Amino acid sequence: MKESPLVQPFSALTKADTSIAGGKGASLGELTQAGLPIPQGFVILSSAFEQFLKETDLNVEIDAILHTVDHQNMLTVEKASEQIHALILQAKMSQNIAQTILTHFKKLNTPFVAVRSSATAEDSASAAWAGQLDSFLNTTEHTLLHNVKRCWASLFTPRAIFYRFEKGLHTEKISVAVVVQKMIASEVSGIAFSVHPVTQDHNQIIIEAGYGLGEAIVSGQITPDSYVLEKNPRRIIDKNINHQEKGIYRKQEGDNEWTTISPSKATLQKLSDKQILDLTTLILHIEQHYGFPCDIEWAFEKENFFILQSRPI
């Protein structure tokens, strides 16, 4: 029997590959196939995580620890999480897995990547894992393998363990893939909804934009600009410009830090009207491709927009 691959480039994946690439990985493959501007990358498939557990004999130990959990008692959840995290981070990744990951990393020809968890039960209606698992931005070759293990371990954060029991998924096989993607040094980034998330108006799009990396918006630590557009006729109908004093940017040697934004820039509109309309074209392309309303993460660097993620609203 042919050995299953451990890694696949985005160009080899589609939305049908959720079971091996997770929701995030499959979506990035699908968007790449659809010709959208996706930063290059690859997915460390769930088979790599499963092989790692098997080679280190951790699957038996993890199962035993999960059996001690009483999800009504948060202390047991936290203790189990701590024990499983320690086991995964201390275990040695085999030469085969490590080498395969590093070979694909070198092909990207970039010093910095984003490393994101992609649960194989992610973004399905029954289990919205988005936001449950970890991401590590501006990862270097030096921290890559460690951050991959941290993504694997994030399948067992207290929140993720509690969520499993709460949703009755603790007896189901849940695995995790890891997305490794060329890092965009976003000047501006944000999220967009191809349908107004509050009013459910299908003729309206909302774009949120902030300086620096999108994590600043996701963490709720800044209030982004918000632009409302009509699809037909295509026009901007409302703009809410917010003052932004700080943003998340890359440190020289990798990793991220909060940086103060100059007062003259802090009050400006983050995207020009033309840029807002250019981004709208990409959002509509994605919605038409999937045929349902989408929640999209985007970034803007050196006059180009990149799509980092899309999932159903």
Side-chain angles (χ1 to χ4, degrees):
M1 195 175 106
K2 194 168 159 280
E3 212 179 293
S4 66
L6 300 173
V7 169
Q8 286 284 16
F10 292 163
S11 55
L13 298 164
T14 70
K15 62 183 177 201
D17 291 312
T18 310
S19 64
I20 57 167
K24 208 169 271 143
S27 160
L28 287 165
E30 182 73 21
L31 294 166
T32 299
Q33 306 273 12
L36 281 142
I38 308 298
Q40 246 185 312
F42 59 90
V43 181
I44 302 162
L45 303 177
S46 56
S47 53
F49 176 54
E50 282 146 28
Q51 189 175 313
F52 167 77
L53 292 181
K54 203 167 147 194
E55 287 171 349
T56 51
D57 280 331
L58 284 184
N59 36 15
V60 182
E61 287 185 72
I62 289 172
D63 268 353
I65 293 169
L66 286 175
H67 273 104
T68 67
V69 170
D70 164 14
H71 77 291
Q72 303 298 336
N73 177 350
M74 239 8 233
L75 276 176
T76 68
V77 174
E78 280 160 15
K79 189 176 171 213
S81 170
E82 235 168 85
Q83 290 174 315
I84 296 171
H85 262 76
L87 286 173
I88 291 175
L89 295 181
Q90 282 158 18
K92 193 163 165 41
M93 194 186 287
S94 71
Q95 196 55 31
N96 176 26
I97 299 175
Q99 230 15 77
T100 307
I101 294 170
L102 289 169
T103 302
H104 278 80
F105 169 80
K106 287 195 167 76
K107 282 185 197 160
L108 291 180
N109 194 19
T110 179
F112 301 105
V113 289
V115 178
R116 302 174 186 269
S117 315
S118 179
T120 57
E122 191 171 31
D123 291 341
S124 64
S126 64
W129 281 84
Q132 305 278 348
L133 306 182
D134 290 340
S135 290
F136 302 97
L137 304 182
N138 287 311
T139 294
T140 60
E141 181 174 5
H142 176 63
T143 53
L144 176 62
L145 296 178
H146 182 61
N147 284 350
V148 167
K149 287 209 292 189
R150 287 166 79 189
C151 281
W152 288 343
S154 76
L155 195 57
F156 304 98
T157 58
R159 199 171 148 207
I161 292 175
F162 179 78
Y163 184 77
R164 272 175 199 228
F165 280 90
E166 192 72 349
K167 299 279 180 216
L169 297 168
H170 52 290
T171 53
E172 282 183 34
K173 182 173 160 284
I174 297 170
S175 190
V176 64
V178 179
V179 168
V180 178
Q181 186 174 29
K182 221 173 194 170
M183 190 71 211
I184 300 299
S186 325
E187 294 149 38
V188 183
S189 61
I191 46 183
F193 300 95
S194 71
V195 163
H196 197 302
V198 182
T199 63
Q200 304 289 309
D201 186 331
H202 279 253
N203 194 37
Q204 285 186 359
I205 289 173
I206 285 198
I207 295 172
E208 294 186 344
Y211 292 127
L213 297 176
E215 304 307 293
I217 297 177
V218 177
S219 70
Q221 299 215 43
I222 67 157
T223 305
D225 279 6
S226 161
Y227 317 124
V228 183
L229 295 99
E230 265 183 359
K231 293 178 185 172
N232 209 350
R234 183 105 39 107
R235 60 190 182 133
I236 301 167
I237 55 172
D238 189 34
K239 291 190 290 196
N240 209 334
I241 317 300
N242 283 300
H243 188 82
Q244 186 181 339
E245 290 174 359
K246 56 180 185 169
I248 300 178
Y249 293 90
R250 174 165 67 221
K251 282 197 251 182
Q252 212 58 48
E253 67 284 2
D255 225 355
N256 318 303
E257 61 185 355
W258 284 97
T259 306
T260 304
I261 287 159
S262 69
S264 58
K265 193 176 157 184
T267 52
L268 298 179
Q269 182 175 316
K270 313 304 178 294
L271 290 178
S272 69
D273 287 6
K274 182 192 179 299
Q275 288 166 345
I276 293 169
L277 290 165
D278 287 348
L279 179 56
T280 300
T281 304
L282 290 176
I283 294 163
L284 292 174
H285 181 167
I286 295 168
E287 186 182 58
Q288 278 152 8
H289 176 80
Y290 278 113
F292 51 68
C294 296
D295 162 359
I296 295 155
E297 290 173 34
W298 58 271
F300 182 75
E301 179 194 28
K302 295 184 181 138
E303 296 306 308
N304 289 304
F305 281 105
F306 295 92
I307 301 300
L308 306 179
Q309 180 53 22
S310 172
R311 55 181 163 256
I313 289 185

